[in-house]
Amino acid sequence: DTLSVLSGNAGMPIGISDVSYVEQSVHLEPGDRLYCYSDGVSEAMNAADQPYTTQRLLDCIRRSRQGTLAESLESVWTEVEPWCGGVPLHDDGSLVALEMGTP
């Protein structure tokens, strides 16, 4: 199982911005998952004003990949909420995922 991150400066696919979005594509096989998240997740701050970080998010996704897609998504929030220590997110926190089924 490999975890890949789509990279590049494609702009924002959602949100308010004057910058145009550059379409990207990736080939997914049955069982592959695609996670899309807003920066409010990776930038969620703890009491020491430290962000959750993209690396922590990727590590959480990696650890939760054996569960169902719903369990994997729940795992992220189960880690992010305590990280914030009950403090509301400074930005929106959106996380969406899909899993490719068999044809």
Side-chain angles (χ1 to χ4, degrees):
D1 287 329
T2 322
L3 186 68
S4 300
V5 177
L6 298 177
S7 60
N9 189 10
M12 297 181 350
I14 58 174
I16 301 172
S17 175
D18 292 333
V19 178
S20 62
Y21 177 71
V22 178
E23 185 176 322
Q24 295 184 24
S25 63
V26 62
H27 180 78
L28 300 174
E29 297 289 337
D32 286 350
R33 293 177 177 176
L34 176 67
Y35 293 81
C36 301
Y37 62 94
S38 68
D39 61 353
V41 177
S42 58
E43 296 173 1
M45 299 297 211
N46 66 10
D49 213 26
Q50 298 169 319
Y52 183 69
T53 73
T54 299
Q55 188 58 54
R56 282 190 182 89
L57 176 60
L58 295 174
D59 291 344
C60 180
I61 290 170
R62 190 176 285 111
R63 286 190 303 273
S64 67
R65 288 171 32 145
Q66 298 307 315
T68 66
L69 186 60
E71 290 167 344
S72 179
L73 289 169
E74 183 65 29
S75 292
V76 173
W77 292 119
T78 300
E79 285 195 17
V80 171
E81 288 177 343
W83 176 264
C84 296
V87 177
L89 296 176
H90 299 288
D91 196 359
D92 70 292
S94 301
L95 178 63
V96 176
L98 64 89
E99 182 172 16
M100 295 301 294
T102 54

